Coordinates of all heavy atoms in Angstrom, one line a residue:
M1 N 0.8 -1.2 0.0 CA 0.0 0.0 0.0 C 0.9 1.2 0.0 O 1.7 1.4 0.9 CB -0.9 0.0 1.2 CG -1.9 1.2 1.3 SD -3.2 1.1 0.1 CE -3.6 2.9 0.0
H2 N 0.7 2.1 -1.0 CA 1.5 3.3 -1.1 C 0.8 4.5 -0.5 O 0.7 5.6 -1.2 CB 1.9 3.5 -2.6 CG 2.5 2.3 -3.2 ND1 3.7 1.9 -2.9 CD2 2.0 1.5 -4.1 CE1 4.0 0.8 -3.6 NE2 2.9 0.5 -4.3
E3 N 0.2 4.3 0.6 CA -0.6 5.4 1.2 C 0.2 6.6 1.5 O -0.3 7.7 1.3 CB -1.3 4.9 2.5 CG -0.4 4.4 3.5 CD -1.1 3.8 4.7 OE1 -2.2 3.3 4.6 OE2 -0.5 3.8 5.8
Q4 N 1.4 6.5 1.9 CA 2.2 7.6 2.2 C 2.4 8.5 1.0 O 2.2 9.8 1.1 CB 3.6 7.2 2.8 CG 4.4 8.3 3.4 CD 3.8 8.7 4.7 OE1 3.7 7.9 5.7 NE2 3.5 10.0 4.9
S5 N 2.8 8.0 -0.1 CA 3.0 8.8 -1.4 C 1.7 9.3 -1.9 O 1.6 10.4 -2.5 CB 3.8 7.9 -2.4 OG 3.0 6.8 -2.8
L6 N 0.6 8.5 -1.7 CA -0.7 8.9 -2.1 C -1.1 10.2 -1.4 O -1.6 11.1 -2.0 CB -1.7 7.8 -1.8 CG -3.0 7.7 -2.6 CD1 -2.9 6.5 -3.5 CD2 -4.1 7.5 -1.6
I7 N -0.9 10.2 -0.1 CA -1.3 11.3 0.7 C -0.4 12.5 0.5 O -0.8 13.7 0.4 CB -1.4 10.9 2.2 CG1 -2.6 10.0 2.3 CG2 -1.5 12.1 3.1 CD1 -2.5 9.1 3.5
K8 N 0.9 12.2 0.2 CA 1.9 13.2 -0.1 C 1.4 14.0 -1.4 O 1.5 15.2 -1.5 CB 3.2 12.6 -0.4 CG 4.4 13.4 0.1 CD 5.7 12.6 -0.1 CE 6.9 13.3 0.4 NZ 7.0 13.4 1.9
N9 N 1.0 13.2 -2.4 CA 0.5 13.8 -3.7 C -0.7 14.7 -3.4 O -0.8 15.7 -4.0 CB 0.2 12.7 -4.7 CG 1.4 12.0 -5.2 OD1 2.5 12.5 -5.1 ND2 1.2 10.9 -5.9
L10 N -1.6 14.2 -2.6 CA -2.8 14.9 -2.3 C -2.5 16.2 -1.6 O -3.0 17.3 -2.0 CB -3.6 14.0 -1.3 CG -5.1 14.3 -1.2 CD1 -5.8 13.9 -2.5 CD2 -5.7 13.5 -0.1
V11 N -1.5 16.2 -0.7 CA -1.1 17.4 0.1 C -0.5 18.4 -0.9 O -0.7 19.6 -0.8 CB -0.2 17.1 1.2 CG1 0.5 18.3 1.8 CG2 -1.0 16.3 2.3
E12 N 0.4 17.9 -1.8 CA 1.0 18.7 -2.8 C 0.0 19.4 -3.7 O 0.1 20.6 -4.1 CB 2.0 17.9 -3.7 CG 3.3 17.8 -3.0 CD 4.2 16.8 -3.7 OE1 4.0 16.4 -4.8 OE2 5.2 16.3 -3.0
K13 N -1.0 18.7 -4.1 CA -2.1 19.2 -4.9 C -2.8 20.3 -4.2 O -3.1 21.4 -4.8 CB -3.1 18.0 -5.2 CG -4.0 18.3 -6.4 CD -4.7 17.0 -6.7 CE -6.0 17.1 -7.4 NZ -6.6 15.8 -7.7
I14 N -3.1 20.1 -2.9 CA -3.8 21.1 -2.1 C -3.0 22.3 -2.0 O -3.4 23.5 -2.1 CB -4.2 20.5 -0.7 CG1 -5.2 19.4 -0.9 CG2 -4.7 21.6 0.2 CD1 -5.5 18.7 0.4
H15 N -1.7 22.1 -1.7 CA -0.7 23.2 -1.6 C -0.7 24.1 -2.8 O -0.7 25.3 -2.8 CB 0.6 22.7 -1.2 CG 1.6 23.7 -0.9 ND1 1.6 24.4 0.3 CD2 2.7 24.2 -1.6 CE1 2.6 25.3 0.3 NE2 3.3 25.2 -0.8
L16 N -0.6 23.4 -4.0 CA -0.6 24.1 -5.3 C -1.8 24.9 -5.5 O -1.7 26.1 -5.9 CB -0.5 23.0 -6.3 CG 0.2 23.5 -7.7 CD1 1.7 23.7 -7.4 CD2 0.0 22.4 -8.7
L17 N -3.0 24.4 -5.2 CA -4.2 25.1 -5.4 C -4.4 26.2 -4.4 O -4.8 27.3 -4.8 CB -5.4 24.1 -5.2 CG -5.6 23.0 -6.3 CD1 -6.6 22.0 -5.8 CD2 -6.1 23.7 -7.5
A18 N -3.9 26.0 -3.2 CA -4.0 27.1 -2.2 C -3.0 28.2 -2.5 O -3.4 29.4 -2.2 CB -3.6 26.5 -0.8
S19 N -1.9 28.0 -3.1 CA -0.9 29.0 -3.3 C -1.3 29.9 -4.5 O -0.8 31.0 -4.7 CB 0.5 28.4 -3.5 OG 0.5 27.5 -4.6
S20 N -2.3 29.5 -5.3 CA -2.8 30.3 -6.4 C -3.9 31.2 -6.0 O -4.5 32.0 -6.7 CB -3.2 29.4 -7.6 OG -4.3 28.7 -7.3
E21 N -4.3 31.1 -4.7 CA -5.4 31.9 -4.1 C -4.9 32.9 -3.2 O -3.9 32.7 -2.5 CB -6.4 31.0 -3.3 CG -7.2 30.1 -4.2 CD -8.4 30.7 -4.8 OE1 -8.9 31.7 -4.2 OE2 -8.9 30.2 -5.8
S22 N -5.5 34.1 -3.1 CA -5.0 35.1 -2.2 C -5.6 34.9 -0.8 O -5.0 35.3 0.2 CB -5.3 36.5 -2.7 OG -6.7 36.6 -2.9
D23 N -6.7 34.2 -0.7 CA -7.3 34.0 0.6 C -6.7 32.8 1.2 O -6.1 31.9 0.6 CB -8.8 33.7 0.4 CG -9.6 34.9 0.0 OD1 -9.1 36.0 0.2 OD2 -10.7 34.8 -0.7
R24 N -6.8 32.7 2.6 CA -6.1 31.7 3.3 C -7.0 30.4 3.3 O -8.2 30.5 3.5 CB -5.9 32.1 4.8 CG -5.0 31.2 5.6 CD -4.7 31.8 7.0 NE -5.9 31.8 7.8 CZ -6.2 30.8 8.6 NH1 -5.4 29.7 8.7 NH2 -7.3 30.8 9.3
L25 N -6.4 29.3 3.0 CA -7.1 28.0 3.0 C -7.5 27.6 4.4 O -6.6 27.6 5.3 CB -6.3 26.9 2.4 CG -6.9 25.5 2.2 CD1 -8.1 25.6 1.3 CD2 -5.8 24.5 1.8
V26 N -8.7 27.3 4.7 CA -9.1 26.9 6.1 C -9.6 25.4 6.2 O -9.4 24.8 7.2 CB -10.2 27.8 6.7 CG1 -9.7 29.2 7.0 CG2 -11.4 27.9 5.7
A27 N -10.1 24.9 5.1 CA -10.6 23.5 5.1 C -10.5 22.8 3.8 O -10.5 23.4 2.7 CB -12.0 23.5 5.6
A28 N -10.3 21.5 3.9 CA -10.3 20.7 2.7 C -11.2 19.5 2.9 O -11.3 18.9 4.0 CB -8.9 20.1 2.4
R29 N -12.0 19.2 1.8 CA -12.9 18.1 1.9 C -12.5 17.0 1.0 O -12.2 17.2 -0.2 CB -14.4 18.5 1.5 CG -15.4 17.4 1.6 CD -16.7 17.9 1.0 NE -17.3 18.8 1.9 CZ -18.2 18.5 2.9 NH1 -18.5 17.2 3.0 NH2 -18.7 19.4 3.7
L30 N -12.4 15.8 1.5 CA -12.0 14.6 0.7 C -13.1 13.6 0.7 O -13.9 13.5 1.6 CB -10.7 13.9 1.4 CG -9.5 14.7 1.7 CD1 -8.5 13.8 2.4 CD2 -8.9 15.4 0.5
R31 N -13.1 12.9 -0.4 CA -14.0 11.7 -0.6 C -13.2 10.5 -0.5 O -12.3 10.3 -1.4 CB -14.8 11.8 -1.9 CG -16.1 12.7 -1.7 CD -16.9 12.7 -3.0 NE -16.3 13.5 -4.0 CZ -16.1 13.2 -5.3 NH1 -16.6 12.1 -5.7 NH2 -15.6 14.1 -6.1
L32 N -13.5 9.6 0.4 CA -12.8 8.4 0.6 C -13.6 7.2 0.0 O -14.6 6.9 0.5 CB -12.5 8.2 2.1 CG -11.8 6.9 2.5 CD1 -10.4 6.8 1.9 CD2 -11.7 6.9 4.1
G33 N -13.1 6.6 -1.0 CA -13.7 5.5 -1.7 C -13.9 4.3 -0.8 O -13.1 4.1 0.1
A34 N -15.0 3.6 -1.1 CA -15.4 2.4 -0.2 C -14.3 1.3 -0.3 O -14.1 0.6 0.7 CB -16.7 1.8 -0.7
L35 N -13.5 1.3 -1.3 CA -12.5 0.3 -1.5 C -11.1 0.8 -1.4 O -10.1 0.3 -1.9 CB -12.6 -0.5 -2.8 CG -14.0 -1.1 -3.1 CD1 -14.0 -1.7 -4.5 CD2 -14.2 -2.2 -2.1
A36 N -10.9 2.0 -0.8 CA -9.6 2.7 -0.7 C -8.6 2.0 0.2 O -7.5 2.4 0.3 CB -9.8 4.1 -0.4
H37 N -9.1 1.0 1.0 CA -8.2 0.3 1.9 C -7.5 1.1 2.9 O -6.4 0.8 3.4 CB -7.1 -0.5 1.1 CG -7.7 -1.5 0.2 ND1 -8.5 -2.5 0.6 CD2 -7.7 -1.5 -1.2 CE1 -8.9 -3.2 -0.5 NE2 -8.4 -2.6 -1.6
I38 N -8.1 2.2 3.3 CA -7.6 3.0 4.4 C -8.8 3.6 5.2 O -9.8 4.0 4.5 CB -6.6 4.1 3.9 CG1 -6.0 4.9 5.0 CG2 -7.3 5.1 2.9 CD1 -4.8 5.8 4.6
S39 N -8.7 3.6 6.5 CA -9.8 4.2 7.2 C -9.7 5.7 7.3 O -8.6 6.2 7.0 CB -9.8 3.6 8.6 OG -8.7 4.1 9.4
A40 N -10.8 6.3 7.6 CA -10.8 7.8 7.6 C -9.9 8.3 8.7 O -9.1 9.2 8.5 CB -12.2 8.3 7.9
E41 N -9.8 7.5 9.8 CA -8.9 7.9 11.0 C -7.5 7.8 10.6 O -6.7 8.7 10.9 CB -9.2 7.0 12.2 CG -10.6 7.1 12.8 CD -11.6 6.4 12.0 OE1 -11.3 5.3 11.5 OE2 -12.7 6.9 11.7
H42 N -7.2 6.7 9.9 CA -5.8 6.5 9.4 C -5.4 7.5 8.4 O -4.2 8.0 8.4 CB -5.7 5.1 8.9 CG -4.2 4.6 8.8 ND1 -3.5 4.2 9.9 CD2 -3.4 4.6 7.8 CE1 -2.3 3.9 9.5 NE2 -2.2 4.1 8.2
L43 N -6.3 7.9 7.5 CA -6.0 8.9 6.5 C -5.7 10.2 7.1 O -4.8 10.9 6.8 CB -7.3 9.0 5.5 CG -7.3 10.1 4.5 CD1 -6.1 10.0 3.6 CD2 -8.6 10.1 3.7
R44 N -6.6 10.5 8.1 CA -6.4 11.8 8.8 C -5.0 11.9 9.5 O -4.3 12.9 9.5 CB -7.5 11.9 9.9 CG -7.5 13.2 10.7 CD -8.6 13.3 11.7 NE -9.9 13.3 11.0 CZ -10.5 14.4 10.5 NH1 -9.9 15.5 10.5 NH2 -11.7 14.3 9.9
E45 N -4.6 10.8 10.1 CA -3.4 10.6 10.8 C -2.2 11.0 9.9 O -1.3 11.7 10.2 CB -3.2 9.2 11.3 CG -2.8 9.0 12.7 CD -2.8 7.5 13.1 OE1 -1.9 6.8 12.8 OE2 -3.9 7.1 13.6
H46 N -2.2 10.3 8.7 CA -1.2 10.5 7.7 C -1.2 11.9 7.2 O -0.1 12.6 7.1 CB -1.4 9.6 6.5 CG -0.7 8.3 6.7 ND1 0.6 8.1 6.5 CD2 -1.2 7.1 7.1 CE1 0.9 6.8 6.8 NE2 -0.2 6.2 7.1
F47 N -2.4 12.4 7.0 CA -2.5 13.8 6.4 C -2.0 14.8 7.4 O -1.2 15.7 7.0 CB -4.0 14.1 6.1 CG -4.3 15.3 5.4 CD1 -4.3 15.3 4.0 CD2 -4.4 16.5 6.0 CE1 -4.5 16.4 3.2 CE2 -4.6 17.7 5.3 CZ -4.7 17.6 3.9
E48 N -2.3 14.7 8.7 CA -1.9 15.7 9.6 C -0.4 15.6 9.9 O 0.3 16.6 10.1 CB -2.7 15.5 10.9 CG -4.0 16.2 10.7 CD -5.0 16.0 11.8 OE1 -4.7 15.3 12.8 OE2 -6.1 16.5 11.7
R49 N 0.2 14.4 9.7 CA 1.7 14.2 9.9 C 2.3 14.9 8.7 O 3.4 15.5 8.8 CB 2.0 12.8 9.9 CG 3.4 12.5 10.4 CD 3.7 11.0 10.4 NE 2.6 10.2 11.1 CZ 2.4 8.9 10.8 NH1 3.2 8.2 10.0 NH2 1.5 8.2 11.5
E50 N 1.7 14.8 7.5 CA 2.2 15.4 6.3 C 2.3 16.9 6.2 O 3.1 17.5 5.6 CB 1.4 14.8 5.1 CG 2.1 14.8 3.8 CD 3.4 13.9 3.8 OE1 3.2 12.7 4.2 OE2 4.4 14.4 3.5
I51 N 1.3 17.6 6.9 CA 1.2 19.0 6.8 C 1.9 19.8 8.0 O 1.9 21.0 8.0 CB -0.3 19.5 6.7 CG1 -1.1 19.2 7.9 CG2 -0.9 18.9 5.4 CD1 -2.5 19.7 7.9
I52 N 2.4 19.0 9.0 CA 3.1 19.7 10.1 C 4.3 20.5 9.5 O 5.1 20.0 8.7 CB 3.6 18.6 11.1 CG1 2.5 18.0 11.9 CG2 4.7 19.2 12.1 CD1 2.8 16.9 12.8
G53 N 4.4 21.7 10.0 CA 5.5 22.6 9.6 C 5.4 23.2 8.2 O 6.3 23.8 7.7
T54 N 4.2 22.9 7.5 CA 4.0 23.6 6.2 C 2.9 24.6 6.4 O 2.2 24.7 7.5 CB 3.5 22.5 5.2 OG1 2.1 22.3 5.4 CG2 4.3 21.2 5.3
P55 N 2.7 25.4 5.4 CA 1.6 26.5 5.5 C 0.2 25.9 5.7 O -0.7 26.6 6.0 CB 1.7 27.2 4.2 CG 3.1 27.0 3.7 CD 3.5 25.6 4.1
L56 N 0.1 24.6 5.4 CA -1.2 23.9 5.5 C -1.5 23.4 6.9 O -2.6 23.0 7.2 CB -1.3 22.7 4.6 CG -1.2 23.0 3.1 CD1 -1.3 21.7 2.3 CD2 -2.2 24.0 2.6
E57 N -0.5 23.6 7.8 CA -0.7 23.1 9.2 C -1.9 23.8 9.9 O -2.1 25.0 9.7 CB 0.5 23.3 10.1 CG 0.5 22.6 11.4 CD 1.8 22.7 12.2 OE1 2.8 23.1 11.6 OE2 1.8 22.3 13.3
G58 N -2.8 23.0 10.5 CA -4.0 23.5 11.2 C -5.2 23.5 10.3 O -6.3 23.9 10.7
L59 N -5.0 23.0 9.1 CA -6.1 22.9 8.1 C -7.2 22.0 8.6 O -6.9 20.9 9.2 CB -5.5 22.3 6.8 CG -6.5 22.2 5.6 CD1 -6.9 23.5 5.1 CD2 -5.8 21.4 4.5
R60 N -8.4 22.4 8.5 CA -9.6 21.5 8.9 C -9.8 20.5 7.8 O -10.0 20.9 6.6 CB -10.8 22.4 9.2 CG -12.0 21.7 9.8 CD -12.8 22.7 10.6 NE -13.0 24.0 9.9 CZ -13.9 24.2 9.0 NH1 -14.7 23.3 8.6 NH2 -14.0 25.4 8.4
L61 N -9.8 19.2 8.1 CA -9.9 18.2 7.1 C -11.3 17.5 7.3 O -11.6 17.0 8.4 CB -8.8 17.1 7.3 CG -8.8 16.0 6.3 CD1 -8.5 16.6 4.9 CD2 -7.7 15.0 6.6
Q62 N -12.1 17.5 6.3 CA -13.4 16.8 6.3 C -13.3 15.6 5.4 O -12.9 15.7 4.2 CB -14.5 17.7 5.8 CG -14.6 19.0 6.7 CD -15.4 20.1 6.0 OE1 -15.3 20.3 4.8 NE2 -16.1 20.9 6.8
I63 N -13.6 14.4 5.9 CA -13.5 13.2 5.1 C -14.9 12.6 5.0 O -15.5 12.3 6.0 CB -12.5 12.2 5.8 CG1 -11.1 12.8 6.0 CG2 -12.5 10.9 5.0 CD1 -10.2 11.9 6.8
E64 N -15.3 12.5 3.8 CA -16.6 11.9 3.5 C -16.4 10.5 3.0 O -15.9 10.3 1.9 CB -17.3 12.8 2.4 CG -18.8 12.6 2.3 CD -19.3 13.5 1.2 OE1 -19.2 14.7 1.3 OE2 -19.7 13.0 0.1
E65 N -16.8 9.5 3.8 CA -16.7 8.1 3.5 C -17.8 7.7 2.6 O -18.9 7.8 2.9 CB -16.6 7.3 4.8 CG -15.4 7.5 5.6 CD -15.4 6.7 6.9 OE1 -15.0 5.5 6.8 OE2 -15.8 7.2 7.9
Q66 N -17.4 7.1 1.4 CA -18.3 6.6 0.5 C -18.6 5.1 0.8 O -17.8 4.4 1.3 CB -17.7 6.7 -1.0 CG -17.1 8.1 -1.3 CD -18.1 9.1 -1.5 OE1 -18.8 9.1 -2.5 NE2 -18.2 10.0 -0.5
S67 N -19.8 4.7 0.4 CA -20.2 3.3 0.7 C -20.4 2.5 -0.6 O -20.5 1.3 -0.5 CB -21.5 3.3 1.6 OG -22.5 4.0 0.9
D68 N -20.5 3.1 -1.7 CA -20.7 2.4 -2.9 C -19.5 1.8 -3.5 O -18.6 2.4 -4.0 CB -21.3 3.4 -4.0 CG -21.7 2.7 -5.3 OD1 -21.6 1.4 -5.3 OD2 -22.2 3.4 -6.2
I69 N -19.4 0.4 -3.4 CA -18.2 -0.3 -3.9 C -18.1 -0.4 -5.4 O -17.1 -0.8 -6.0 CB -18.0 -1.7 -3.2 CG1 -19.2 -2.6 -3.6 CG2 -17.9 -1.6 -1.7 CD1 -19.0 -4.1 -3.3
H70 N -19.2 -0.1 -6.1 CA -19.3 -0.2 -7.5 C -19.0 1.2 -8.2 O -19.0 1.3 -9.4 CB -20.6 -0.7 -8.0 CG -20.9 -2.0 -7.4 ND1 -20.2 -3.2 -7.7 CD2 -21.9 -2.5 -6.6 CE1 -20.6 -4.2 -7.1 NE2 -21.7 -3.8 -6.4
H71 N -18.8 2.2 -7.4 CA -18.5 3.5 -7.9 C -17.1 3.5 -8.6 O -16.2 2.8 -8.3 CB -18.4 4.5 -6.7 CG -18.5 6.0 -7.2 ND1 -17.3 6.6 -7.7 CD2 -19.5 6.8 -7.2 CE1 -17.7 7.8 -8.0 NE2 -18.9 8.0 -7.7
A72 N -17.1 4.3 -9.7 CA -15.8 4.3 -10.6 C -14.6 4.8 -9.8 O -13.5 4.4 -10.1 CB -16.1 5.3 -11.7
E73 N -14.8 5.5 -8.7 CA -13.7 6.0 -7.9 C -13.6 5.3 -6.5 O -13.0 5.9 -5.6 CB -13.8 7.5 -7.7 CG -13.7 8.3 -9.0 CD -14.1 9.8 -8.9 OE1 -14.8 10.1 -7.9 OE2 -13.7 10.6 -9.7
A74 N -14.2 4.1 -6.5 CA -14.3 3.5 -5.2 C -12.9 3.1 -4.5 O -12.8 3.0 -3.3 CB -15.1 2.2 -5.3
Q75 N -11.9 3.1 -5.4 CA -10.6 2.7 -4.8 C -9.7 4.0 -4.5 O -8.6 3.9 -4.1 CB -9.8 1.8 -5.8 CG -10.6 0.6 -6.1 CD -9.7 -0.5 -6.7 OE1 -8.5 -0.5 -6.4 NE2 -10.2 -1.4 -7.4
E76 N -10.3 5.1 -4.7 CA -9.5 6.3 -4.7 C -9.8 7.3 -3.5 O -10.9 7.2 -2.9 CB -9.6 7.1 -6.0 CG -9.1 6.3 -7.2 CD -9.4 6.9 -8.5 OE1 -9.2 8.1 -8.6 OE2 -9.8 6.2 -9.4
I77 N -8.9 8.2 -3.3 CA -9.2 9.3 -2.4 C -9.2 10.5 -3.2 O -8.2 10.9 -3.9 CB -8.0 9.4 -1.3 CG1 -7.9 8.1 -0.5 CG2 -8.3 10.6 -0.4 CD1 -6.6 8.0 0.3
I78 N -10.3 11.2 -3.3 CA -10.6 12.3 -4.2 C -10.6 13.6 -3.4 O -11.3 13.7 -2.3 CB -11.9 12.1 -4.9 CG1 -12.0 10.8 -5.6 CG2 -12.2 13.3 -5.9 CD1 -11.1 10.6 -6.8
L79 N -9.9 14.6 -3.9 CA -10.0 15.9 -3.4 C -11.3 16.5 -3.9 O -11.5 16.8 -5.0 CB -8.8 16.8 -3.8 CG -8.8 18.2 -3.3 CD1 -8.9 18.3 -1.8 CD2 -7.6 19.0 -3.8
D80 N -12.3 16.7 -3.0 CA -13.6 17.1 -3.3 C -13.7 18.7 -3.5 O -14.0 19.2 -4.5 CB -14.6 16.7 -2.3 CG -16.1 17.1 -2.6 OD1 -16.7 16.3 -3.3 OD2 -16.5 18.1 -2.2
S81 N -13.3 19.4 -2.4 CA -13.3 20.8 -2.5 C -12.4 21.5 -1.4 O -12.0 20.8 -0.5 CB -14.7 21.3 -2.3 OG -15.2 20.9 -1.1
L82 N -12.1 22.7 -1.6 CA -11.3 23.5 -0.7 C -12.1 24.7 -0.2 O -12.9 25.2 -1.0 CB -10.0 24.0 -1.3 CG -9.0 22.9 -1.8 CD1 -7.8 23.6 -2.5 CD2 -8.5 22.1 -0.6
E83 N -12.0 25.0 1.1 CA -12.7 26.2 1.6 C -11.7 27.2 2.0 O -10.8 27.0 2.8 CB -13.5 25.7 2.8 CG -14.5 26.7 3.3 CD -15.1 26.2 4.6 OE1 -15.6 25.1 4.7 OE2 -15.1 27.0 5.6
F84 N -11.9 28.4 1.5 CA -11.0 29.5 1.8 C -11.7 30.5 2.7 O -12.9 30.7 2.7 CB -10.6 30.2 0.5 CG -9.7 29.4 -0.4 CD1 -10.2 28.5 -1.3 CD2 -8.3 29.4 -0.2 CE1 -9.4 27.7 -2.1 CE2 -7.5 28.6 -1.0 CZ -8.0 27.8 -1.9
E85 N -10.8 31.2 3.5 CA -11.3 32.2 4.4 C -11.7 33.5 3.6 O -11.0 33.9 2.7 CB -10.2 32.6 5.3 CG -10.5 33.5 6.5 CD -9.3 33.7 7.4 OE1 -8.3 34.3 6.9 OE2 -9.4 33.3 8.5
D86 N -12.9 34.0 3.8 CA -13.3 35.2 3.1 C -12.7 36.4 3.7 O -13.2 36.9 4.7 CB -14.9 35.2 3.1 CG -15.4 36.4 2.3 OD1 -14.6 36.9 1.5 OD2 -16.5 36.7 2.4
S87 N -11.7 36.9 3.0 CA -11.0 38.1 3.6 C -11.6 39.4 3.0 O -11.2 40.5 3.3 CB -9.5 38.1 3.2 OG -9.4 38.0 1.8
H88 N -12.7 39.3 2.2 CA -13.3 40.5 1.7 C -14.6 40.8 2.5 O -15.4 41.7 2.0 CB -13.7 40.3 0.2 CG -12.6 39.7 -0.6 ND1 -11.4 40.3 -0.8 CD2 -12.4 38.4 -1.1 CE1 -10.6 39.5 -1.5 NE2 -11.2 38.4 -1.7
G89 N -14.7 40.2 3.6 CA -16.0 40.3 4.4 C -16.3 41.7 5.0 O -17.4 42.1 5.0
D90 N -15.2 42.4 5.4 CA -15.5 43.7 6.1 C -15.3 44.8 5.2 O -16.1 45.6 4.9 CB -14.5 43.8 7.3 CG -13.1 43.7 6.9 OD1 -12.8 44.0 5.7 OD2 -12.2 43.4 7.7
Ligands
ZN1 ZN1 -0.4 4.2 7.4

């Protein structure tokens, strides 16, 4: 299981997307496929270890566990969406 490199790639992708925005990234939502062979808790553990000491540290991670094993992305961990802080509010 190449979970470490998988999550590393995911974090790099998030970092890339976040650096092209002027607003601060506050949360990321992931979809965890039913056949992804990693639990949400374990995914979170790896993810949090991966972002320590980076600008992504403290990011709120939302993991949506999928139950459909016949879904085309059932074996994957998909980056669903990112949530940015609205700095134009005031
Ligand atoms: Zn692990």
Side-chain angles (χ1 to χ4, degrees):
M1 180 72 204
H2 308 287
E3 55 185 28
Q4 191 73 57
S5 60
L6 203 105
I7 291 157
K8 218 179 181 69
N9 285 346
L10 201 70
V11 168
E12 275 169 18
K13 195 168 159 185
I14 293 173
H15 187 71
L16 205 69
L17 290 167
S19 58
S20 67
E21 292 277 337
S22 55
D23 293 335
R24 197 174 66 91
L25 180 66
V26 288
R29 179 187 290 270
L30 306 179
R31 274 183 283 138
L32 178 58
L35 302 176
H37 301 298
I38 184 168
S39 69
E41 296 75 43
H42 197 78
L43 172 59
R44 183 180 295 279
E45 228 174 83
H46 271 281
F47 190 91
E48 282 175 357
R49 199 180 307 160
E50 204 61 54
I51 63 175
I52 289 175
T54 79
L56 297 181
E57 191 171 349
L59 182 70
R60 188 153 40 85
L61 185 65
Q62 297 161 329
I63 302 171
E64 197 180 294
E65 289 177 87
Q66 312 286 289
S67 55
D68 184 4
I69 61 168
H70 301 296
H71 193 281
E73 295 170 338
Q75 302 201 26
E76 296 171 46
I77 302 169
I78 307 292
L79 176 59
D80 183 89
S81 59
L82 296 177
E83 190 187 310
F84 290 89
E85 190 176 63
D86 184 13
S87 58
H88 313 292
D90 56 25

